[in-house]
Amino acid sequence: MRNIALLVGCALLLAVAAAAEPPTPVAEAFAKGQEHLGHRTDGDLRAATQDFELAINADATFAPAWAGLAEARALLFDYRGAREAALRGLALDEHLAAAHAVLGFVRLHGDWDWAGAETELRRALELDPQRATPHLWYAIVLEVTGRSAEAVQQARKAVELQPKEAPMRAGLGYRLYWARRYDEAGTELTAALALDPKLETAQYFIGRARVQQGRFPEARAAFARARALSPKDFNLKSAEAYLDILSGHRQQAEATLAEIERLAIRNLPFASQAAGLHAALGHKDGALEWLERAQFHHEGALLWVQVDPRFDSLREEPRFKDLLRRMGLGAAPRSGG
């Protein structure tokens, strides 16, 4: 009995000693990377990239660090780097859900490969259905391909998994906006702002929702709040110009449109914004020309062209239908409540 007690005592001492050991460089760097990744700001994402690179430098066979690096790069729009890191991770562990999710995200945003994106994201969810981010990314695939009800369901699942995470709540709000459920979108985006008052994009989409509802003073107030958070965001100028057109201030909006066109001509990603303003002004040919330019330059915002309410007046135009065909999208869905 005494020997057994001694053995048990030694085992306990060893367990305590192991628990007291400091984390390895790999584990420490990876944990910091995951923490930064959760915040989603540009600064945090860049810090996450550095953290995951430190973990990889310490142990290049640690597959989760490659997946974390892939996700950070993807959210920084470095799609080539994200793809490379995701594939490195999958070469080490084919069952790495996070890496499959990043490949889906890259195929969605970087390649406009809707079927490939759906395949990868569904695989990620099969491997780890309790991971919130793939649900949200899969929701984007669903909405841009015209399945708004399913998109909202997936986004709600992300919120159920991480109810206190502002990006998840905001993500549901954005899905509801594109589903044209504007009051619900406003509710979810307001809830996201209660969790993180610095979410400028949430204010921006509250403004866009109120514009579509014809609630122009509320829209202008939301855009003003967004501008206070991000004074250099040029998308806000476009959104405010769109509001000006619908509320009868065309001359002011036309001056902003000229400025946006100058930026788009320099191949900055504002061609789709110019198209939206031309559509609001009733310039169908001008809107279609700018949309075609946006498609040629693979402009990120064009991802939502099939569901964007700004382009409803163009839906029956042959050039618009041809644009959707070239992007691999089907007939545009009708607006919903």
Side-chain angles (χ1 to χ4, degrees):
M1 290 294 291
R2 186 172 177 226
N3 288 338
I4 293 173
L6 284 170
L7 288 171
V8 171
C10 288
L12 287 171
L13 286 171
L14 288 170
V16 170
E21 288 180 6
T24 65
V26 175
E28 186 174 10
F30 180 72
K32 287 181 179 178
Q34 291 285 51
E35 183 179 354
H36 282 127
L37 193 58
H39 295 303
R40 290 294 199 267
T41 68
D42 277 358
D44 281 300
L45 291 172
R46 294 185 195 285
T49 298
Q50 294 175 350
D51 294 328
F52 291 128
E53 286 173 346
L54 283 173
I56 289 165
N57 289 337
D59 182 0
T61 67
F62 186 52
W66 285 108
L69 178 61
E71 186 170 342
R73 286 176 172 175
L75 293 170
L76 287 167
F77 311 110
D78 176 11
Y79 300 134
R80 180 180 296 180
R83 190 196 312 271
E84 178 186 342
L87 290 172
R88 291 287 297 270
L90 288 171
L92 294 165
D93 181 359
E94 202 282 328
H95 296 89
L96 203 58
H100 281 290
V102 170
L103 280 184
F105 187 87
V106 169
R107 288 180 177 173
L108 171 64
H109 291 276
D111 303 336
W112 290 355
D113 174 6
W114 323 119
E118 183 162 357
T119 296
E120 290 292 346
L121 286 160
R122 287 174 69 93
R123 177 62 174 150
L125 291 170
E126 287 170 6
L127 291 167
D128 187 359
Q130 299 306 306
R131 188 175 173 84
T133 297
H135 284 284
L136 199 56
W137 289 353
Y138 183 33
I140 301 174
V141 177
L142 291 167
E143 80 188 357
V144 301
T145 53
R147 293 170 282 173
S148 62
E150 294 174 68
V152 170
Q153 288 176 356
Q154 286 293 325
R156 286 198 192 282
K157 181 63 176 177
V159 171
E160 288 171 11
L161 291 169
Q162 293 188 342
K164 299 300 182 183
E165 293 295 324
M168 299 302 154
R169 201 92 195 201
L172 173 57
Y174 306 148
R175 308 302 58 93
L176 287 162
Y177 170 83
W178 292 117
R180 307 188 184 206
R181 294 159 61 173
Y182 299 126
D183 279 329
E184 293 174 79
T187 297
E188 294 299 333
L189 292 168
T190 300
L193 286 162
L195 294 168
D196 182 357
K198 295 181 180 179
L199 277 180
E200 174 258 335
T201 307
Q203 294 285 10
Y204 168 78
F205 271 96
I206 288 174
R208 286 190 63 173
R210 298 309 177 222
V211 168
Q212 294 304 319
Q213 293 178 301
R215 294 159 61 173
F216 299 144
E218 292 174 61
R220 204 172 294 281
F223 290 145
R225 292 192 296 270
R227 185 171 296 285
L229 293 167
S230 185
K232 295 182 179 180
D233 186 349
F234 212 85
N235 289 316
L236 283 167
K237 291 197 76 168
S238 171
E240 288 169 329
Y242 186 81
L243 168 58
D244 287 336
I245 294 168
L246 297 191
S247 59
H249 301 90
R250 292 171 66 99
Q251 187 173 0
Q252 183 175 337
E254 286 171 351
T256 301
L257 172 58
E259 190 177 358
I260 289 171
E261 287 179 335
R262 285 194 292 272
L263 292 172
I265 288 169
R266 290 162 49 195
N267 293 333
L268 293 171
F270 294 108
S272 60
Q273 301 287 7
L277 295 178
H278 275 290
L281 289 164
H283 306 159
K284 289 187 177 182
D285 287 340
L288 290 163
E289 286 171 14
W290 283 107
L291 281 177
E292 288 163 353
R293 184 184 183 95
Q295 190 242 332
F296 178 80
H297 289 286
H298 204 90
E299 195 169 291
L302 205 63
L303 199 71
W304 288 272
V305 65
Q306 185 172 212
V307 295
D308 196 324
R310 294 176 300 177
F311 303 127
D312 282 353
S313 63
L314 307 176
R315 302 276 172 213
E316 299 305 317
E317 296 294 320
R319 286 170 68 185
F320 187 83
K321 292 179 179 180
D322 191 52
L323 176 88
L324 294 180
R325 180 189 59 76
R326 291 196 304 273
M327 291 180 66
L329 295 168
R334 294 298 176 188
S335 60

